[in-house]
């Protein structure tokens, strides 16, 4: 656990090694949420597929929920309301009209337990190096729209979050659209593979922070899962200058830090690149 003490909004990115057992994963998430709340966090972000990393890609179809109802959504609403925090629920599988494909959806709940935002992952991961093959489009329908949401901390001005998921990280045009919509904090819940994570995870996250002069909260899956797949972990908290303020390498854990309004405004004033856009 890493804590950085400043004087603004405390945030937590939660790293997990989720299993094929939804109940077990929810219990693990609840424990991490409680630890983060005890440390003072007001905004908590879970990783992609926090509630299920199945033995097969199709396992998530069996636990997919209709929008607005189901055990995973109920869990997120209850956790947010019980602890009076803003909670970004990693991603969960939501049903579509296609029986063999879901939406990979990031949901944000307010301290009253109300869902205030939904973002469906737009870019779907595909990878084949001759040894590993994965095609997310086999079981997932892509989303279409960038999403931002405003969160109001207990004290001070609100912050605008830009929502994204995992493979989205490779598409800077999405983050530029989020920045244009006012995003000051970029959420990137992920389950990067160990192979691509080791090569590109930190570099891409720091680039997105630097390009958009925004904080980045990137909670990850970080370990070996029931199907043998290894995820990279290294959940990160990055400031608008691209500096890694805290990280957690492997296994379950928390990354804690502070969103500093003064730091954001200072960086954007010193290097006003967002106002210099031409194309």
């Amino acid at each position: 656990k890493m804590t950085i003490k400043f004087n603004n909004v405390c945030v937590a990115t939660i790293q997990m090694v989720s299993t094929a057992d939804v109940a077990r994963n929810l219990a693990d998430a609840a424990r991490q949420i409680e630890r983060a709340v005890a440390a003072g966090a007001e905004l908590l972000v879970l990783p992609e597929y926090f509630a299920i990393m199945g033995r097969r890609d199709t396992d998530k179809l069996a636990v997919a929920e209709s929008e607005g109802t189901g055990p995973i959504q109920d869990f997120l609403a209850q956790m947010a309301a019980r602890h009076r925090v803003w909670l970004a629920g990693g991603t969960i599988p939501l049903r579509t009209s296609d029986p063999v494909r879901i939406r990979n959806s990031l949901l944000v709940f307010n301290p009253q337990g109300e869902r205030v935002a939904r973002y469906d992952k737009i870019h779907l991961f595909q990878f084949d190096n001759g040894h590993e093959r994965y095609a997310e489009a086999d079981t997932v329908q892509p989303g279409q729209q960038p999403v931002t949401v405003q969160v109001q901390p207990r004290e001070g001005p609100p912050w605008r979050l830009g929502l994204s998921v995992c493979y989205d990280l490779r598409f800077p045009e999405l983050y530029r659209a989020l920045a244009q919509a006012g995003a000051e904090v970029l959420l990137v819940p992920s389950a990067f593979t160990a192979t691509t994570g080791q090569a590109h995870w930190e570099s891409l996250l720091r680039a997105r922070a630097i390009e958009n002069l925004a904080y980045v909260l990137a909670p990850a899956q970080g370990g070996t899962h029931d199907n043998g797949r290894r995820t990279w972990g290294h959940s990160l908290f990055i400031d608008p200058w691209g500096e890694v303020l805290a990280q957690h390498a492997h296994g379950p854990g928390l990354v804690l830090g502070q969103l500093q309004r003064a730091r954001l405004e200072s960086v954007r004033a010193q290097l006003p690149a967002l106002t210099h856009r031409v194309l």
Side-chain angles (χ1 to χ4, degrees):
K1 183 171 83 171
M2 301 183 187
T3 306
I4 304 167
K5 294 186 181 296
F6 299 120
N7 55 1
N8 274 290
V9 180
C10 184
V11 295
T13 68
I14 297 173
Q15 184 158 299
M16 296 179 64
V17 186
S18 297
T19 70
D21 183 337
V22 172
R24 176 181 169 185
N25 297 329
L26 296 186
D28 289 346
R31 284 191 290 271
Q32 295 276 44
I33 289 168
E34 288 165 4
R35 287 181 60 212
V37 170
E42 291 186 57
L43 169 63
L44 294 73
V45 193
L46 291 160
E48 185 179 27
Y49 289 128
F50 76 95
I52 183 167
M53 290 283 283
R55 292 181 176 85
R56 295 168 299 277
D57 288 346
T58 52
D59 285 0
K60 57 184 174 282
L61 301 174
V63 301
E65 298 181 358
S66 298
E67 184 176 20
T69 182
I72 305 172
Q73 291 169 90
D74 290 348
F75 166 82
L76 293 169
Q78 291 162 7
M79 287 289 103
R82 178 184 305 166
H83 298 295
R84 308 294 291 175
V85 295
W86 294 88
L87 179 59
T91 67
I92 77 165
L94 292 182
R95 291 193 186 103
T96 69
S97 57
D98 184 341
V100 298
R101 295 166 82 210
I102 53 95
R103 291 292 181 107
N104 188 5
S105 301
L106 167 55
L107 307 179
V108 180
F109 290 80
N110 69 14
Q112 290 73 48
E114 301 161 336
R115 199 205 76 197
V116 294
R118 169 183 169 179
Y119 167 70
D120 297 335
K121 185 178 182 180
I122 291 174
H123 302 96
L124 302 184
F125 180 58
Q126 183 171 331
F127 181 74
D128 187 346
N129 64 2
H131 307 288
E132 301 170 272
R133 182 196 173 274
Y134 185 75
E136 196 173 15
D138 291 347
T139 54
V140 178
Q141 281 186 359
Q144 304 295 326
Q145 295 296 326
V147 175
T148 68
V149 61
Q150 185 168 285
V151 301
Q152 176 61 58
R154 296 177 194 126
E155 298 179 1
W159 291 81
R160 183 157 291 277
L161 312 181
L163 308 186
S164 67
V165 177
C166 200
Y167 189 54
D168 282 333
L169 183 57
R170 294 182 181 274
F171 300 88
E173 61 273 19
L174 170 62
Y175 296 88
R176 184 45 50 89
L178 295 172
Q180 285 183 263
E184 301 158 315
V185 184
L186 304 172
L187 306 189
V188 198
S190 299
F192 254 59
T193 67
T195 302
T196 58
Q198 184 173 10
H200 301 140
W201 170 247
E202 182 175 324
S203 297
L204 288 169
L205 287 166
R206 293 184 67 197
R208 299 296 87 87
I210 293 163
E211 289 165 350
N212 299 295
L213 298 164
Y215 282 99
V216 171
L217 303 179
Q221 296 281 351
T224 302
H225 302 272
D226 289 350
N227 63 356
R229 178 182 172 190
R230 289 175 55 239
T231 46
W232 178 239
H234 292 82
S235 294
L236 293 172
F237 177 51
I238 302 172
D239 85 349
W241 195 245
E243 181 181 354
V244 175
L245 298 179
Q247 67 174 295
H248 180 84
H250 301 293
L254 297 179
V255 174
L256 296 166
Q258 300 279 339
L259 300 178
Q260 290 185 287
R261 173 65 59 185
R263 174 64 168 164
L264 179 83
E265 293 177 352
S266 171
V267 167
R268 289 185 168 188
Q270 290 174 27
L271 184 68
L274 290 175
T275 68
H276 295 161
R277 289 179 52 250
V278 176
L279 301 179

